[in-house]
Amino acid sequence: GVIPRCELRGGVAQCAFDCIEGTFDADGLANNGCELTPDPEAIYVTTSENGGVDGNDCGDFVRPCATIAVGQQRATAANRGRIRVAEGVYREGVVLRNGLEVLGGHQRTTWERNGLLFPTVVQGSTEIDIHYATVVARDIDQPTVFDGFVVRAESPLFDGNSYGIYVVNAGPELSITNNSILAGNGGRGRDGDAGGSGDAGSIG
């Protein structure tokens, strides 16, 4: 991804390079050149700890959004078909949008994708009646992808079930692949009502 050139540094000729148009030296390391070719169909998301900021103009690799929810909103608004999510922990429930790809497992600087090396963890919940679900896919009838995540289901305190991924009314257009799903516990229930008094004992 480079155009090599020679430049003088302190009167000494040294090798240098310029990036080919459309490529970027995202990590600032000369030994791998201009390693990043941005995806024009993608919105980029990284955690706020790694520089993500939600806003009306977030989403390119220089100014990624901070949450998957806002990334999906921006993808819909900008007519993009893909969300690329960097490594880290995202404390939010995710409701998949019809027709969008949501891809985890990216390195936060170069955006290299390897889910084993760069785990992307979703840890949150969306309430469905009294139940908790971390990822929800509902009414999916267009090609939709959720791939490359670690899903940690939350456990309700009292009532309801815990779902890592909750799917309802979705056809073969939905693809859920290459994810690790860690189950939560169902709610322990609430104390029942006190029983009525028993019959009086017989006279001694």
Side-chain angles (χ1 to χ4, degrees):
V2 304
I3 302 171
R5 60 180 170 80
C6 183
E7 68 178 17
L8 286 175
R9 296 181 185 176
V12 178
Q14 297 187 16
C15 293
F17 61 83
D18 296 313
C19 291
I20 293 174
E21 183 177 359
T23 66
F24 296 86
D25 182 12
D27 60 7
L29 301 176
N31 62 346
N32 62 356
C34 301
E35 76 289 340
L36 174 60
T37 302
D39 181 355
E41 291 298 316
I43 290 292
Y44 290 82
V45 175
T46 193
T47 62
S48 56
E49 294 86 354
N50 292 326
V53 178
D54 285 338
N56 293 329
D57 61 348
C58 69
D60 60 25
F61 76 93
V62 178
R63 295 172 301 172
C65 302
T67 60
I68 298 170
V70 171
Q72 290 191 111
Q73 293 172 12
R74 290 284 298 126
T76 300
N79 198 28
R80 307 280 178 86
R82 191 172 300 113
I83 317 293
R84 293 193 178 274
V85 188
E87 60 190 315
V89 178
Y90 297 83
R91 294 174 173 83
E92 59 180 308
V94 175
V95 179
L96 299 179
R97 293 200 176 198
N98 213 5
L100 285 181
E101 295 181 14
V102 183
L103 308 177
H106 295 84
Q107 204 273 346
R108 65 182 182 269
T109 304
T110 65
W111 295 94
E112 174 190 352
R113 189 163 189 242
N114 186 319
L116 294 177
L117 296 178
F118 314 117
T120 304
V121 179
V122 178
Q123 181 176 326
S125 63
T126 297
E127 293 189 17
I128 302 173
D129 298 324
I130 62 172
H131 311 297
Y132 283 9
T134 302
V135 178
V136 176
R138 187 189 299 273
D139 300 327
I140 301 297
D141 59 7
Q142 299 176 31
T144 303
V145 176
F146 183 75
D147 182 282
F149 289 86
V150 177
V151 178
R152 292 181 181 165
E154 292 198 330
S155 302
L157 182 59
F158 293 111
D159 300 324
N161 298 319
S162 172
Y163 299 99
I165 299 181
Y166 182 87
V167 179
V168 60
N169 194 25
E173 296 83 4
L174 175 63
S175 176
I176 297 175
T177 51
N178 302 312
N179 303 291
S180 296
I181 303 170
L182 308 179
N185 298 316
R188 65 176 179 84
R190 298 177 184 269
D191 294 337
D193 295 331
S197 298
D199 295 334
S202 58
I203 297 173

